[in-house]
Amino acid sequence: MLSNYKNVSLIPFEATWTSPANIAFVKYWGKKGHQIPANPSLSMTLKECVTKTRTIFLPSDKLEVRLKFKGQNEEIFSKKIYDFLVHLQSELPWLKQLSLNIETENTFPHGAGIASSASGMSAFALTLADYLHHLCPDAQDDFFFKRASYLSRLASGSACRSIYGGFTTWGSSHSPDSSDLFANQIKVHDTFLSLQDTILVVSGKEKNVSSRAGHSLMGEHLYAQSRYKQASFHFEKCLSAVQDGDFETVGSILEAEALALHAMMLTSPAPYTLLKPDTLAAIQAIWDFRQETGLPLYFTLDAGPNLHLIYPESHKSKIFTFIAHELSPLGEMLIHDTVGLGPQKC
Ligand code: PMV
């Protein structure tokens, strides 16, 4: 993927990209080796929750990364990018001679508990892919995005799925286009292109166990193999259902996946939970609402306490009224999102 770029002459360059967050319907949880997923995953790319990143690349005598988030120096994110670039030096040795000035900001509020690593790392990876393209142009656009997805995966696994709009898969499966190395955009039934995602932010606080630690606990988890089997089964089922427009099947997989992800944390060798009492109260209220009304409102969760409330646009008005009246008091804020078209160069 990067072999054409091993020997290049460095020149100054600047690029700005926006890239969205994504929400996994079938979850990636557990790795085989370096950033290779233990099972295939499937996600929806968001529209409103995006990161905008501007990177200035300058030739230098050593690797340096300076990162500002909303105008303020940000050491943690800067270190993550530095470590990612050090790791990439085996494929791109000239990264040792680059100074990077990065300015980044999110459209979603800081402390909203929305994983910003997918949008943040993919936005940065797109500026890097743009630099590679500038150093050594490659006519095929498709390769540009594959390469950006490859780079995003190395920076933060699920970020590789943010490179494409609509719905995306990542990880080897029965599907011939699937790969462990980069994500792939999939065709879905038209009704899925207007799916709604209202995020109920139960807590915007920093979580106390990182996703990196969670992935690594799967290495010694007694249920790991059963979980990977379940995820692969859900993946095949979900892939057919999004293509057939079968929202009820997708909804039941969404919830089963969210609960399985959090069950893995609760039953891991070092048990923990990221769920809050109000997360469970909201789940019960959603189940009661569905039983009483028959309306198709389902939830999913990332590695955190916040619920993504997923429903078809055709039922938006009744479902949103329920969310605003019954669920919103259980959280700190609501963020309304829908399916996005993917990253954009600014
Ligand atoms: O990409 P990571 O390492 O932050 O892991 C993401 C894990 C989940 O968000 C819980 C699931 C997923 O597939 O996005």
Side-chain angles (χ1 to χ4, degrees):
M1 195 57 65
L2 301 176
S3 53
N4 287 348
Y5 302 93
K6 204 152 188 144
N7 298 306
V8 292
S9 311
L10 298 181
I11 41 172
F13 182 67
E14 177 184 328
T16 306
W17 280 81
T18 63
S19 190
N22 70 75
I23 176 68
F25 283 23
V26 178
K27 312 287 180 187
Y28 148 61
W29 198 244
K31 311 182 192 201
K32 320 177 269 199
H34 186 65
Q35 300 293 89
I36 299 294
N39 62 261
S41 56
L42 189 155
S43 64
M44 171 176 129
T45 297
L46 301 184
K47 185 176 176 187
E48 307 295 343
C49 293
V50 306
T51 298
K52 182 177 182 180
T53 297
R54 170 174 178 248
T55 308
I56 300 171
F57 299 87
L58 294 171
S60 168
D61 52 359
K62 62 173 196 287
L63 174 63
E64 285 175 319
V65 178
R66 272 179 292 272
L67 186 142
K68 285 192 168 163
F69 176 70
K70 282 191 167 168
Q72 303 287 321
N73 290 330
E74 225 287 36
E75 299 301 333
I76 298 175
F77 198 23
S78 163
K79 169 94 171 64
K80 278 191 186 158
I81 296 210
Y82 182 88
D83 291 347
F84 160 58
L85 295 174
V86 167
H87 190 87
L88 258 191
Q89 284 170 10
S90 56
E91 291 189 82
L92 304 173
W94 46 264
L95 284 172
K96 288 186 189 100
Q97 289 141 18
L98 212 55
S99 164
L100 288 84
N101 282 302
I102 305 167
E103 284 167 29
T104 185
E105 60 190 40
N106 295 336
T107 53
F108 43 96
H110 188 63
I114 297 178
S116 52
S117 67
S119 55
M121 286 303 187
S122 57
F124 171 70
L126 280 154
T127 64
L128 179 60
D130 214 350
Y131 188 41
L132 296 177
H133 181 77
H134 187 71
L135 292 173
C136 185
D138 168 344
Q140 288 163 290
D141 243 8
D142 186 38
F143 268 116
F144 176 83
F145 288 105
K146 254 190 192 148
R147 197 171 294 115
S149 181
Y150 176 88
L151 291 167
S152 303
R153 171 185 63 87
L154 293 174
S156 172
S158 61
C160 73
R161 297 187 309 242
S162 283
I163 296 296
Y164 299 99
F167 286 75
T168 305
T169 64
W170 167 43
S172 321
S173 70
H174 291 140
S175 164
D177 300 326
S178 64
S179 168
D180 280 341
L181 304 183
F182 40 79
N184 196 39
Q185 190 178 39
I186 52 167
K187 283 207 167 65
V188 298
H189 193 275
D190 281 353
T191 53
F192 278 82
L193 294 174
S194 57
L195 225 50
Q196 307 293 300
D197 178 3
T198 303
I199 306 164
L200 174 67
V201 180
V202 171
S203 167
K205 285 211 186 86
E206 193 76 30
K207 52 190 181 191
N208 49 10
V209 182
S210 68
S211 286
R212 181 188 287 229
H215 284 292
S216 104
L217 281 168
M218 287 301 282
E220 328 148 35
H221 202 302
L222 215 55
Y223 301 153
Q225 294 314 316
S226 311
R227 163 60 197 151
Y228 301 148
K229 215 163 143 188
Q230 178 198 40
S232 297
F233 173 71
H234 280 162
F235 176 83
E236 299 298 336
K237 223 171 141 187
C238 192
L239 190 58
S240 311
V242 291
Q243 283 158 352
D244 297 346
D246 177 358
F247 184 65
E248 315 291 305
T249 298
V250 170
S252 67
I253 293 172
L254 274 174
E255 296 191 352
E257 279 289 303
L259 297 171
L261 170 71
H262 286 267
M264 288 299 106
M265 298 175 199
L266 282 161
T267 54
S268 82
Y272 66 103
T273 186
L274 302 175
L275 300 175
K276 300 280 178 211
D278 281 338
T279 312
L280 295 176
I283 290 175
Q284 189 59 56
I286 293 163
W287 285 339
D288 292 345
F289 172 77
R290 215 162 57 222
Q291 188 153 30
E292 281 157 23
T293 64
L295 290 171
L297 167 64
Y298 293 85
F299 70 85
T300 187
L301 294 153
D302 253 335
N306 305 319
L307 288 141
H308 287 250
L309 307 162
I310 311 283
Y311 50 99
E313 193 185 24
S314 51
H315 294 284
K316 187 172 170 177
S317 124
K318 278 191 181 146
I319 291 180
F320 192 75
T321 304
F322 164 72
I323 293 173
H325 288 116
E326 307 296 327
L327 300 184
S328 142
L330 297 170
E332 292 171 358
M333 69 175 109
L334 289 176
I335 297 176
H336 192 69
D337 215 327
T338 180
V339 186
L341 296 174
Q344 270 191 324
K345 188 171 166 133
C346 309

